[in-house]
Short mmCIF file of all heavy atoms in Angstrom, two decimals:
data_model
loop_
_atom_site.label_atom_id
_atom_site.label_comp_id
_atom_site.label_asym_id
_atom_site.label_seq_id
_atom_site.Cartn_x
_atom_site.Cartn_y
_atom_site.Cartn_z
N ARG A 42 -3.53 -14.59 -119.15
CA ARG A 42 -3.29 -13.21 -118.77
C ARG A 42 -2.06 -12.66 -119.48
O ARG A 42 -1.04 -13.35 -119.57
CB ARG A 42 -3.13 -13.08 -117.25
CG ARG A 42 -4.39 -13.35 -116.48
CD ARG A 42 -4.12 -13.18 -115.01
NE ARG A 42 -5.36 -13.30 -114.24
CZ ARG A 42 -5.42 -13.21 -112.91
NH1 ARG A 42 -4.32 -13.00 -112.25
NH2 ARG A 42 -6.57 -13.31 -112.28
N PRO A 44 1.04 -9.82 -119.74
CA PRO A 44 1.86 -9.20 -118.70
C PRO A 44 1.26 -7.93 -118.14
O PRO A 44 1.58 -7.53 -117.04
CB PRO A 44 3.19 -8.95 -119.42
CG PRO A 44 3.21 -9.94 -120.54
CD PRO A 44 1.78 -10.11 -120.96
N ASN A 46 -1.93 -7.29 -117.39
CA ASN A 46 -2.95 -7.43 -116.35
C ASN A 46 -2.62 -8.51 -115.34
O ASN A 46 -3.48 -9.00 -114.63
CB ASN A 46 -4.31 -7.76 -116.98
CG ASN A 46 -4.28 -9.00 -117.85
OD1 ASN A 46 -3.33 -9.75 -117.81
ND2 ASN A 46 -5.33 -9.19 -118.65
N ARG A 47 -1.38 -8.92 -115.25
CA ARG A 47 -0.97 -9.84 -114.22
C ARG A 47 -0.92 -9.13 -112.87
O ARG A 47 -0.65 -7.94 -112.80
CB ARG A 47 0.42 -10.42 -114.52
CG ARG A 47 0.39 -11.51 -115.58
CD ARG A 47 1.79 -11.99 -115.87
NE ARG A 47 1.82 -12.97 -116.93
CZ ARG A 47 2.93 -13.38 -117.51
NH1 ARG A 47 4.10 -12.88 -117.16
NH2 ARG A 47 2.87 -14.31 -118.47
N PRO A 48 -1.18 -9.86 -111.76
CA PRO A 48 -1.09 -9.23 -110.45
C PRO A 48 0.31 -8.71 -110.18
O PRO A 48 1.30 -9.42 -110.43
CB PRO A 48 -1.47 -10.35 -109.47
CG PRO A 48 -2.20 -11.34 -110.32
CD PRO A 48 -1.61 -11.26 -111.69
N PRO A 49 0.44 -7.51 -109.69
CA PRO A 49 1.78 -6.94 -109.43
C PRO A 49 2.38 -7.55 -108.18
O PRO A 49 2.37 -6.96 -107.10
CB PRO A 49 1.51 -5.45 -109.28
CG PRO A 49 0.10 -5.39 -108.77
CD PRO A 49 -0.63 -6.56 -109.38
N TRP A 50 2.94 -8.76 -108.32
CA TRP A 50 3.52 -9.45 -107.16
C TRP A 50 4.68 -8.68 -106.56
O TRP A 50 5.00 -8.84 -105.38
CB TRP A 50 3.99 -10.84 -107.55
CG TRP A 50 2.87 -11.73 -107.98
CD1 TRP A 50 2.58 -12.16 -109.23
CD2 TRP A 50 1.84 -12.28 -107.15
NE1 TRP A 50 1.45 -12.95 -109.26
CE2 TRP A 50 0.98 -13.03 -108.00
CE3 TRP A 50 1.57 -12.20 -105.80
CZ2 TRP A 50 -0.13 -13.71 -107.51
CZ3 TRP A 50 0.46 -12.87 -105.31
CH2 TRP A 50 -0.37 -13.63 -106.15
N TRP A 51 5.31 -7.83 -107.36
CA TRP A 51 6.47 -7.11 -106.82
C TRP A 51 6.07 -6.13 -105.75
O TRP A 51 6.91 -5.62 -105.02
CB TRP A 51 7.23 -6.42 -107.93
CG TRP A 51 6.39 -5.54 -108.82
CD1 TRP A 51 5.69 -5.90 -109.93
CD2 TRP A 51 6.14 -4.14 -108.64
NE1 TRP A 51 5.04 -4.82 -110.47
CE2 TRP A 51 5.30 -3.73 -109.69
CE3 TRP A 51 6.56 -3.20 -107.68
CZ2 TRP A 51 4.86 -2.41 -109.81
CZ3 TRP A 51 6.13 -1.89 -107.81
CH2 TRP A 51 5.28 -1.51 -108.87
N PHE A 52 4.76 -5.82 -105.65
CA PHE A 52 4.29 -4.93 -104.58
C PHE A 52 4.52 -5.56 -103.20
O PHE A 52 4.76 -4.85 -102.23
CB PHE A 52 2.82 -4.60 -104.76
CG PHE A 52 2.56 -3.37 -105.60
CD1 PHE A 52 1.89 -3.47 -106.80
CD2 PHE A 52 3.03 -2.13 -105.19
CE1 PHE A 52 1.67 -2.35 -107.58
CE2 PHE A 52 2.80 -1.00 -105.95
CZ PHE A 52 2.13 -1.11 -107.16
N VAL A 53 4.37 -6.89 -103.12
CA VAL A 53 4.52 -7.56 -101.83
C VAL A 53 5.96 -7.99 -101.57
O VAL A 53 6.25 -8.51 -100.50
CB VAL A 53 3.60 -8.80 -101.74
CG1 VAL A 53 2.16 -8.39 -101.92
CG2 VAL A 53 3.98 -9.85 -102.77
N LEU A 54 6.83 -7.77 -102.54
CA LEU A 54 8.21 -8.21 -102.38
C LEU A 54 8.91 -7.53 -101.20
O LEU A 54 9.59 -8.22 -100.42
CB LEU A 54 8.99 -7.96 -103.67
CG LEU A 54 10.43 -8.46 -103.70
CD1 LEU A 54 10.46 -9.98 -103.49
CD2 LEU A 54 11.12 -8.09 -105.01
N PRO A 55 8.78 -6.21 -100.99
CA PRO A 55 9.43 -5.62 -99.80
C PRO A 55 8.95 -6.23 -98.49
O PRO A 55 9.76 -6.47 -97.58
CB PRO A 55 9.05 -4.14 -99.91
CG PRO A 55 8.77 -3.91 -101.34
CD PRO A 55 8.15 -5.19 -101.84
N ALA A 56 7.65 -6.50 -98.39
CA ALA A 56 7.12 -7.11 -97.16
C ALA A 56 7.67 -8.52 -96.99
O ALA A 56 7.99 -8.93 -95.87
CB ALA A 56 5.60 -7.11 -97.18
N LEU A 57 7.76 -9.27 -98.08
CA LEU A 57 8.29 -10.63 -97.99
C LEU A 57 9.76 -10.62 -97.58
O LEU A 57 10.19 -11.46 -96.77
CB LEU A 57 8.11 -11.36 -99.33
CG LEU A 57 6.69 -11.71 -99.73
CD1 LEU A 57 6.67 -12.34 -101.12
CD2 LEU A 57 6.08 -12.68 -98.73
#
Side-chain angles (χ1 to χ4, degrees):
R42 292 181 174 179
N46 57 13
R47 283 178 183 168
W50 296 108
W51 53 272
F52 270 117
V53 301
L54 185 60
L57 290 177

